[in-house]
Amino acid sequence: MSIFEYNGSALVAMVGKNCFAIASDRRLGVQLQTIATDFQRIYKIHGKLYIGLSGLATDSQTLYQRLVFRHKLYQLREERDMKPETFASLVSAILYEKRFGPYFCQPVIAGLGDDDKPFICTMDSIGAKELAKDFVVAGTASESLYGACESMYKPDMEPEELFETISQALLSSVDRDCLSGWGGHVFVVTPTEVKERTLKTRMD
Amino acid sequence: MASKQHANWSPYDNNGGTCVAIAGSDYCVIAADTRMSTGYSILTREYSKICKLADKSVMASSGFQADVKALQKNLAARHLIYQHQHNKQMSCPAMAQLLSNTLYYKRFFPYYAFNVLGGLDSEGKGCVFTYDAVGSYERVGYSAQGSGSTLIMPVLDNQLKSPSPLLLPAKDAVTPLSEMEAVDLVKDVFASATERDIYTGDRVEIVIVNAGGIRREYTDLRKD
């Protein structure tokens, strides 16, 4: 079995009208055994920039620590927050540094740019960026998520409808994946506010 | 003398394809795409994966189409004998059991075929049976099999979620949709699966079984 599937995860981000949503499951497992059901895999970089890290949890946390460190250095030197595009390039560069011994994670980055334009992007474990206009998915439930998002997504949704759509896509996908689930976590980010919600799901 | 050659020939291939079936209160919809592939090549864009086994049972099969052909031939022969012995068409639940037995008969050299069987039961209610390659089967309200099943199944769950099989007393597995809504749902899920699965595409063949008989429809899908 792939090392990317050792802990199990489901990650998805969607673009709406002047807003975005990023969602994940809450399970941390060791293969088929569930260790925790309150695991965080979406991290805040700043008020309008979030990163979700799917794949091997230990590498995700290490990578997150390095990203926070680099972002803090940037803030000190530039006296401002990073733009999502810049941050995506930073993540990509850090991943590619480890080209021949990679961090076993697939990141999903979502943020609002300086004119509040939503930005979403995913990457493979060695930093190949994939920018998308509609939605991106990652983790062990990625195939199910592709199917669900492809059917449920429509462009220019308002924040409330976007929340409903991303939640339905996440819930129906994780129920068909043994390695992810046990609850969900959704962030809906608009220029004025961030709504963070926890979802209850099947516990099996 | 040349060194010993390794046997690298496989009796199996995977020709891809996706099959979906949905049961309603008085109808059954069975659908499959018409693309047949091997690796990155498309062998044909108009290959039917759907086979009428009896008046009220229809099978859709993905996997290795040579094995599927052999399986269909076998079932057709067994059904002919049944007709001679009983002077009637086999019912869909009986055909379901026959299919299971036929698959399990080759337990140690299986037919590489992933089937869904749909039709009407003896009360005229829609029924769907879903299988693995060695004959394990279950009666369900809807199912997806083949290369696009992982993309389609969560969407069907979301739209048609049937009552839990653990509920007591047991609830009917049929879906609440009308025949037309079910056909539209099938078209939608195939269009979605085609976007992300290279083995699904070209055209979807939809077979509708109801009291009036069997009806066929086709809808185009992406060809890339």
Side-chain angles (χ1 to χ4, degrees), chain A residues 134-135 143-152 168-169 171-173 175-176 202, chain B residues 142 147 150-155 157-159 161 164 188-189 191-193 195-196:
Chain A
D134 42 11
F135 56 83
E143 273 208 42
S144 310
L145 280 165
Y146 268 130
C149 293
E150 201 65 67
S151 306
M152 296 176 191
Q168 289 292 332
L171 296 192
S172 41
S173 299
D175 284 352
R176 283 284 169 183
R202 289 173 66 112
Chain B
Y142 56 89
S147 60
T150 43
L151 288 89
I152 290 178
M153 212 51 202
V155 184
D157 286 339
N158 188 260
Q159 298 292 312
K161 191 131 44 198
S164 163
D188 282 353
V189 295
S192 299
E195 292 286 323
R196 299 281 176 174

Side-chain angles (χ1 to χ4, degrees), chain B residues 97-146:
Chain B
Q97 184 64 56
L98 174 62
L99 176 53
S100 172
N101 293 346
T102 310
L103 290 167
Y104 194 78
Y105 187 76
K106 277 173 65 65
R107 169 65 177 77
F108 297 108
F109 181 25
Y111 288 116
Y112 191 57
F114 298 94
N115 306 297
V116 279
L117 179 69
L120 301 179
D121 64 12
S122 42
E123 299 164 29
K125 276 200 297 201
C127 53
V128 169
F129 298 88
T130 184
Y131 292 81
D132 73 359
V134 287
S136 168
Y137 82 114
E138 188 183 8
R139 184 172 174 170
V140 289
Y142 56 89
S143 183
Q145 286 282 4

Side-chain angles (χ1 to χ4, degrees), chain A residues 39-52:
Chain A
F39 191 69
Q40 263 292 356
R41 56 178 100 259
I42 298 177
Y43 304 103
K44 185 163 100 173
I45 300 299
H46 61 71
K48 290 176 181 179
L49 181 57
Y50 289 78
I51 182 167

Side-chain angles (χ1 to χ4, degrees), chain A:
Chain A
M1 199 199 53
S2 162
I3 193 72
F4 287 95
E5 293 163 18
Y6 187 70
N7 297 122
S9 54
L11 255 181
V12 53
M14 277 183 186
V15 169
K17 196 172 190 180
N18 298 317
C19 61
F20 71 84
I22 180 166
S24 78
D25 70 321
R26 304 183 74 193
R27 179 180 181 269
L28 174 77
V30 171
Q31 302 199 23
L32 294 180
Q33 186 180 29
T34 301
I35 303 298
T37 62
D38 57 355
F39 191 69
Q40 263 292 356
R41 56 178 100 259
I42 298 177
Y43 304 103
K44 185 163 100 173
I45 300 299
H46 61 71
K48 290 176 181 179
L49 181 57
Y50 289 78
I51 182 167
L53 295 165
S54 73
L56 194 66
T58 177
D59 280 2
S60 302
Q61 288 173 342
T62 308
L63 182 60
Y64 169 65
Q65 288 176 345
R66 288 196 60 190
L67 291 170
V68 168
F69 171 67
R70 293 291 293 269
H71 187 256
K72 280 184 172 163
L73 287 186
Y74 183 95
Q75 278 175 324
L76 285 170
R77 187 180 299 175
E78 305 270 332
E79 296 185 328
R80 63 190 169 101
D81 289 335
M82 239 184 223
K83 281 196 289 185
E85 289 86 346
T86 318
F87 184 70
S89 298
L90 172 70
V91 179
S92 174
I94 287 179
L95 285 171
Y96 197 77
E97 276 179 11
K98 298 273 184 286
R99 171 63 178 80
F100 297 110
Y103 292 113
F104 295 108
C105 11
Q106 191 185 348
V108 166
I109 298 163
L112 290 178
D114 36 30
D115 50 349
D116 288 331
K117 206 166 89 69
F119 169 91
I120 55 164
C121 143
T122 183
M123 252 166 250
D124 67 2
S125 55
I126 51 173
K129 267 185 285 185
E130 173 65 35
L131 305 148
K133 282 194 274 290
D134 42 11
F135 56 83
V136 288
V137 303
T140 51
S142 62
E143 273 208 42
S144 310
L145 280 165
Y146 268 130
C149 293
E150 201 65 67
S151 306
M152 296 176 191
Y153 179 84
K154 58 187 184 195
D156 296 325
M157 283 185 285
E158 298 294 335
E160 281 312 305
E161 193 184 5
L162 187 67
F163 165 74
E164 199 56 37
T165 308
I166 201 169
S167 303
Q168 289 292 332
L170 183 77
L171 296 192
S172 41
S173 299
V174 298
D175 284 352
R176 283 284 169 183
D177 179 28
C178 308
L179 299 181
S180 58
W182 287 79
H185 220 134
V186 186
F187 294 84
V188 181
V189 181
T190 60
T192 49
E193 62 171 347
V194 180
K195 278 221 175 90
E196 180 184 350
R197 293 183 181 92
T198 317
L199 304 176
K200 281 187 181 171
T201 68
R202 289 173 66 112
M203 307 288 266
D204 61 1

Side-chain angles (χ1 to χ4, degrees), chain B residues 13-223:
Chain B
D13 189 12
N14 185 3
N15 299 121
T18 306
C19 309
V20 169
I22 298 176
S25 54
D26 57 353
Y27 67 89
C28 185
V29 180
I30 303 100
D33 66 312
T34 63
R35 175 175 292 184
M36 182 162 75
S37 320
T38 177
Y40 292 126
S41 315
I42 295 172
L43 296 171
T44 168
R45 297 186 191 278
E46 41 207 330
Y47 183 84
S48 175
K49 294 178 194 36
I50 302 180
C51 174
K52 183 189 156 191
L53 298 175
D55 276 357
K56 281 171 183 173
S57 39
V58 173
M59 179 176 72
S61 328
S62 65
F64 180 30
Q65 291 302 328
D67 275 4
V68 168
K69 262 275 172 349
L71 176 64
Q72 289 169 351
K73 210 169 152 180
N74 194 331
L75 291 172
R78 296 291 298 266
H79 186 237
L80 193 68
I81 295 169
Y82 181 97
Q83 286 176 82
H84 284 122
Q85 287 176 342
H86 298 91
N87 199 28
K88 65 170 185 183
Q89 292 275 316
M90 206 184 273
S91 71
C92 193
M95 187 59 85
Q97 184 64 56
L98 174 62
L99 176 53
S100 172
N101 293 346
T102 310
L103 290 167
Y104 194 78
Y105 187 76
K106 277 173 65 65
R107 169 65 177 77
F108 297 108
F109 181 25
Y111 288 116
Y112 191 57
F114 298 94
N115 306 297
V116 279
L117 179 69
L120 301 179
D121 64 12
S122 42
E123 299 164 29
K125 276 200 297 201
C127 53
V128 169
F129 298 88
T130 184
Y131 292 81
D132 73 359
V134 287
S136 168
Y137 82 114
E138 188 183 8
R139 184 172 174 170
V140 289
Y142 56 89
S143 183
Q145 286 282 4
S147 60
S149 64
T150 43
L151 288 89
I152 290 178
M153 212 51 202
V155 184
L156 294 181
D157 286 339
N158 188 260
Q159 298 292 312
L160 313 165
K161 191 131 44 198
S162 52
S164 163
L166 302 174
L167 283 179
L168 283 172
K171 293 266 185 3
D172 257 352
V174 296
T175 61
L177 264 55
S178 73
E179 184 183 303
M180 215 175 67
E181 288 170 324
V183 172
D184 284 344
L185 178 64
V186 164
K187 289 175 183 171
D188 282 353
V189 295
F190 268 96
S192 299
T194 303
E195 292 286 323
R196 299 281 176 174
D197 178 23
I198 59 166
Y199 296 113
T200 304
D202 296 322
R203 204 152 66 131
V204 55
E205 181 183 19
I206 305 168
V207 175
I208 302 114
V209 188
N210 55 28
I214 291 183
R215 191 174 91 243
R216 267 192 162 71
E217 293 189 20
Y218 295 90
T219 305
D220 280 338
L221 296 171
R222 286 171 74 111
K223 295 197 187 296

